[in-house]
Amino acid sequence: MEANTAQAPRTVEFVLDLICVHSYLAFTRFTRAARRFRESGGELEVVFRPFLIAPEAPATGRPLFEVHKAAFGEETARAITADKSFGAEDGLDIDFERAIHTNTFDAHRLLAAAAAQGSGEAMAERLFRAYMTDGLNIGDPGTLDRLAAEVGVEPAKDGGAGDGAAVREEINSMRRLGVTSVPLLFFKEGPTLSGAQPEDTYLKALRTPPAPVRG
């Protein structure tokens, strides 16, 4: 265990999409930094903010290979599919060949519901892994219900945790703030970090005392 670095509780707003591989890398590294921070006495609240990188994608899903083929050509799509090294250094098993490209609106609703029940980080990890490794369609309602049961949370409900209108407003608010790509991490009274940063960069940001609020 690392030396005690207890300080005032930190809040981090994590803007992500659950079919974004760079969001998955950032989440993995940030989670490890957060564990080290908490183990050394730090208190941390992680607030997930939704973003849709493919708002036009149907919830029925389609193979990611077909999406890459249409966007970049077959040769590039096959090269992406064949690359098994992406994420390997972080201990991730990312399988682009199995991935089902889909609309993530309902997945974000489930993440919001899980966060309200104190299981946001566990739910985010399971949703990422379902998409990136397991080849599951995380836009499918039945799949989302099964994943919710695995983590032990109640599914999203309109008028409750994970309300559709509330999540839509969250997505729109990120757009109004000028967010055009993810991942993006806002450290309250601290730095804003974009892209998948190294684990130690996230840990340094967590351990840096918040900037004083000027009146």
Side-chain angles (χ1 to χ4, degrees):
M1 183 174 292
E2 300 179 39
N4 190 293
T5 57
Q7 56 184 247
R10 303 304 308 271
T11 299
V12 178
E13 295 184 62
F14 197 142
V15 191
L16 51 76
D17 197 3
L18 296 155
I19 59 169
C20 171
V21 69
H22 297 287
S23 290
Y24 190 22
L25 290 176
F27 174 79
T28 299
R29 296 169 185 173
F30 175 77
T31 297
R32 290 170 181 165
R35 181 166 53 248
R36 293 165 64 187
F37 179 72
R38 286 163 170 155
E39 286 176 348
S40 62
E43 295 182 42
L44 170 64
E45 178 186 13
V46 182
V47 180
F48 293 106
R49 302 298 186 195
F51 186 88
L52 300 180
I53 62 174
E56 76 292 343
T60 51
R62 59 188 292 215
L64 182 61
F65 172 80
E66 295 298 333
V67 176
H68 285 159
K69 180 180 176 180
F72 310 119
E74 184 168 353
E75 183 177 353
T76 298
R78 291 195 181 282
I80 294 172
T81 299
D83 184 4
K84 305 300 182 183
S85 66
F86 203 91
E89 291 186 0
D90 292 279
L92 301 178
D93 180 14
I94 295 175
D95 192 340
F96 293 121
E97 186 172 7
R98 300 182 66 192
I100 302 298
H101 188 73
T102 190
N103 190 292
T104 53
F105 180 75
D106 286 337
H108 282 298
R109 291 188 61 194
L110 175 55
L111 179 55
Q117 298 169 58
S119 297
E121 292 171 59
M123 194 74 254
E125 189 282 328
R126 187 64 190 99
L127 286 164
F128 274 126
R129 182 160 45 89
Y131 175 76
M132 299 288 177
T133 300
D134 299 338
L136 299 177
N137 178 5
I138 61 171
D140 174 69
T143 298
L144 292 175
D145 285 346
R146 289 194 298 274
L147 295 175
E150 282 187 32
V151 177
V153 301
E154 292 294 323
K157 295 180 180 178
D158 283 327
D163 176 75
V167 171
R168 180 68 65 189
E169 176 54 29
E170 285 273 355
I171 291 169
N172 291 337
S173 71
M174 292 299 102
R175 293 288 187 184
R176 289 194 296 269
L177 285 174
V179 177
T180 58
S181 64
V182 289
L184 192 64
L185 285 83
F186 297 101
F187 290 75
K188 187 176 181 180
E189 299 170 358
T192 296
L193 299 176
S194 62
Q197 300 291 329
E199 178 183 328
D200 284 346
T201 299
Y202 293 130
L203 184 60
K204 180 180 179 181
L206 288 170
R207 287 179 170 171
T208 300
V213 178
R214 297 182 180 181

